[in-house]
């Protein structure tokens, strides 16, 4: 069985874990080539939608986002 990739995201303050599933995007209109979008901007979009936050190279869960240090 095959599964789409998941990226484990760990809060740098409390160790809470979430899983980000990058979207598959196509490189052109023909639909013959594509890739999973693991760009920084795609990850930042996921963080905003899940209420996680980023501070440089650190990532904080929703509970720690207000006090991320």
């Amino acid at each position: 069985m095959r599964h789409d990739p998941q990226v484990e995201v760990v809060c740098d303050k409390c160790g809470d874990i979430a899983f980000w599933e990058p979207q598959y995007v196509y490189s052109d209109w023909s639909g013959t080539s594509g890739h999973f979008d693991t760009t920084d901007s795609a990850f930042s979009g996921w963080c905003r939608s899940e209420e996680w936050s980023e501070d440089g190279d650190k990532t904080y869960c929703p509970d720690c986002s207000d006090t991320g240090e």
Side-chain angles (χ1 to χ4, degrees):
M1 180 181 290
R2 296 182 193 183
H3 298 279
D4 285 343
Q6 291 183 335
V7 177
E8 183 178 22
V9 182
V10 179
C11 177
D12 284 297
K13 185 169 185 183
C14 72
D16 189 22
I17 297 172
F19 290 92
W20 168 44
E21 296 181 5
Q23 291 187 339
Y24 193 81
V25 295
Y26 291 96
S27 302
D28 56 36
W29 287 98
S30 70
T32 58
S33 63
H35 63 277
F36 286 96
D37 187 3
T38 57
T39 60
D40 288 341
S41 61
F43 179 70
S44 293
W46 176 84
C47 284
R48 285 189 302 276
S49 71
E50 297 296 317
E51 297 181 4
W52 281 62
S53 65
E54 298 175 279
D55 184 17
D57 63 346
K58 297 193 181 285
T59 308
Y60 300 103
C61 71
D63 292 337
C64 297
S65 289
D66 295 334
T67 60
E69 297 176 1

